[in-house]
Amino acid sequence: MENSPNGETVGLDWSAATSPAAREALEAIVRDFDMLRRWGGLAPREERAHRAILGLFARLGRAPLFHEIAAESGLERTDLPAVLAALAERDLIMLGDDRERVVGAYPFADRDRGHGVVLAGQRLHAMCALDALGIGAMLDEDATIASSCAACDAEIQIATRARGTALDRAFPAASVVWAALAYADACAACSMCPRTAFFCSDEHLRSWRRDNADERGYRLDLAEALEVGRALFGRRLAPAARD
């Protein structure tokens, strides 16, 4: 898969995936998710609403309310249900069962999903391990990530530097990521994200995979996983948010 204009239109940064493993995993995720179709070609008001939601999630540390999205995006409150329904259909955001509230917008979740991110004094919840690693680059800030091993529940701590684009430190240092390929039901949050996780070691990942033999995905070290997170989210708010 090449660094094509289609890739640019969905905010992907192919140049961030420099290692062969990260590149291969990114290409597979984009294919499995059907990302170029789902996330490409947003209408202007959809783009405005989506940017507003991501910016509000980051600033507030929670899911934004409809009136906050309207004020941030400049859209009419009466137009939002249709606009947000279109974004949900593309699986860019998640709406509650009542369709009257936003409950997630990759890379952000409205509740603790096991991956906490702190940056610029704000505490955020990420949808999955790759999302947690991509948030710092998206917001142009260094981040601290608190998660746990999906096999043994051991605590995992990761810090980034260079405005979220490079690893600073990790404990345990041997931690790895499983990047799942399990997209289903038009919802990554319900399919891929719960399986995309940190492991404290390759040994524990291998143990988990023995019990989950049908799982498709990629083993990535933390540097490779950060490259994928940056590629997926590093340009989600560019250029408007950084003008």
Side-chain angles (χ1 to χ4, degrees):
M1 185 177 297
E2 297 180 355
N3 187 359
S4 66
N6 285 335
E8 294 296 329
T9 63
V10 299
L12 297 177
D13 182 7
W14 293 103
S15 67
T18 58
S19 66
R23 184 73 177 204
E24 184 177 356
L26 177 63
E27 291 176 353
I29 290 167
V30 170
R31 285 195 304 268
D32 207 63
F33 192 93
D34 196 11
M35 193 174 291
L36 299 185
R37 179 182 66 84
R38 287 186 176 279
W39 288 11
L42 293 182
R45 65 179 190 168
E46 294 169 357
E47 179 72 21
R48 287 163 60 191
H50 186 229
R51 287 179 177 272
I53 291 166
L54 293 179
L56 287 165
F57 250 117
R59 191 162 72 244
L60 301 174
R62 60 166 173 81
L65 304 176
F66 274 27
H67 75 272
E68 293 169 329
I69 299 169
E72 185 80 4
S73 65
L75 297 173
E76 294 293 330
R77 171 66 177 80
T78 54
D79 292 336
L80 277 185
V83 173
L84 299 187
L87 292 175
E89 180 69 22
R90 291 173 173 271
D91 198 15
L92 276 161
I93 68 170
M94 291 100 254
L95 296 175
D97 292 339
D98 57 7
R99 313 295 285 179
E100 289 295 321
R101 58 196 174 92
V102 174
V103 298
Y106 309 105
F108 303 115
D110 71 334
R111 58 181 176 83
D112 183 8
R113 295 175 64 102
H115 311 288
V117 181
V118 176
L119 71 173
Q122 186 62 270
R123 185 176 298 276
L124 304 164
H125 300 303
M127 283 283 184
C128 72
L130 291 177
D131 290 14
L133 289 165
I135 286 175
M138 186 178 80
L139 299 178
D140 208 24
E141 296 279 356
D142 292 335
T144 300
I145 299 161
S147 189
S148 60
C149 176
C152 73
D153 292 328
E155 182 179 4
I156 293 175
Q157 295 279 343
I158 300 164
T160 64
R161 58 179 176 81
R163 297 183 175 181
T165 63
L167 286 175
D168 183 30
R169 61 188 183 276
F171 178 85
S175 298
V176 296
V177 169
W178 177 253
L181 299 177
Y183 191 68
D185 300 323
C187 179
C190 303
S191 55
M192 294 173 78
C193 291
R195 315 299 285 177
T196 296
F198 292 104
F199 291 83
C200 65
S201 67
D202 274 308
E203 179 183 357
H204 280 201
L205 172 57
R206 286 192 295 268
S207 174
W208 179 85
R209 292 193 65 192
R210 283 194 294 269
D211 295 332
N212 297 271
D214 293 335
E215 289 286 332
R216 296 187 304 116
Y218 288 84
R219 176 267 185 204
L220 301 170
D221 66 29
L222 290 181
E224 293 163 345
L226 178 60
E227 288 182 9
V228 175
R230 287 177 54 203
L232 290 171
F233 298 107
R235 289 184 178 171
R236 295 307 300 165
L237 291 176
R242 298 180 186 172
D243 285 344

